[in-house]
Amino acid sequence: MSTAPAVLADTTTSLLDVSPVIPVVVVQDVESAVPLARALLDGGVGIIEVTLRSPAALDAIRAIAAEVPDMLIGAGTVCSEQQAQDSAAAGARFLVSPGSTDRLLDGLDRVGLPFLAGCATPSDMMRLMERGITEAKLFPATVVGGTALLKAVSGPLPQLRFCPTGGITPESAPDFLALPNVGCVGGTWLTPQTAVKDADWQQITALAAATRTLR
């Protein structure tokens, strides 16, 4: 049985309360991982989700964990217990999945790291609640109903808090963050591919610093 909320093992802090925005990053070149993480940290964002969508992902997690110890590093797009185990071995301190099958949830429990399981419907949410999970990722947030869905489920399912991810922008993020059942949002805009490719770490630092004004 899962525990709730998704509290970090070495603190009493929930994943949803670390930062208004969790940067969701696809690392294509492991050499960019450490300077990217440092740029976010310099901007005041101390958490990053490196998605398992590239061959460099696990090495990127490993490098950030080793060289940027103040950054809370997590693995995203976790779709199997094996991926969760591999991510934990690489140094990930939390896990994020796009969905939540019983098999995956059992595997995440066995790995033992805090996690945000993906959900998209009230039935998904109730399935998580039956396992004692009260903090989750709403994905793909803007496609499945966005703020309207979150407002609708807050009445019958008031125990749940969310990290909406998928289609969130700097312009729409404040609307999500204003909702009482939203702790943070996931976003890709903090690490534009062009900025990473050009090693424009100052731009990423500036985008990270701007998240302070979102609440």
Side-chain angles (χ1 to χ4, degrees):
M1 181 68 67
S2 300
T3 57
V7 175
L8 297 166
D10 52 354
T11 73
T12 59
T13 302
S14 163
L15 285 172
L16 300 188
D17 298 323
V18 175
S19 170
V21 182
I22 298 179
V24 181
V25 183
V26 179
V27 178
Q28 302 290 356
D29 178 3
V30 69
E31 293 182 357
S32 69
V34 167
L36 186 156
R38 286 176 175 159
L40 289 170
L41 200 58
D42 287 345
V45 175
I47 186 169
I48 183 174
E49 175 190 333
V50 175
T51 65
L52 303 183
R53 300 184 189 180
S54 78
L58 288 175
D59 285 337
I61 291 170
R62 193 172 290 109
I64 294 170
E67 299 186 44
V68 195
D70 291 335
M71 175 60 77
L72 180 59
I73 175 71
T77 321
V78 176
C79 298
S80 69
E81 181 176 357
Q82 186 61 58
Q83 287 183 324
Q85 291 175 347
D86 292 344
S87 299
R93 293 170 59 195
F94 68 93
L95 306 168
V96 183
S97 67
S100 52
T101 66
D102 288 333
R103 181 174 180 178
L104 175 61
L105 292 171
D106 288 343
L108 293 176
D109 277 339
R110 283 190 287 267
V111 171
L113 291 179
F115 62 83
L116 294 174
C119 62
T121 69
S123 292
D124 291 343
M125 298 169 192
M126 292 174 66
R127 184 179 302 113
L128 294 177
M129 288 174 56
E130 287 175 354
R131 300 177 70 105
I133 298 170
T134 59
E135 296 188 346
K137 168 182 174 176
L138 180 70
F139 180 81
T142 57
V143 174
V144 300
T147 56
L149 173 63
L150 288 162
K151 291 175 183 177
V153 300
S154 66
L157 304 175
Q159 308 95 319
L160 295 178
R161 295 177 74 216
F162 299 93
C163 173
T165 303
I168 313 294
T169 67
E171 293 73 29
S172 65
D175 293 334
F176 282 91
L177 292 169
L179 299 177
N181 58 348
V182 171
C184 65
V185 299
T188 60
W189 77 85
L190 275 68
T191 57
Q193 291 185 359
T194 54
V196 176
K197 182 178 179 180
D198 296 339
D200 187 354
W201 309 124
Q202 290 184 341
Q203 180 185 357
I204 291 175
T205 294
L207 290 168
T211 64
R212 301 172 189 169
T213 66
L214 291 178
R215 287 196 185 278

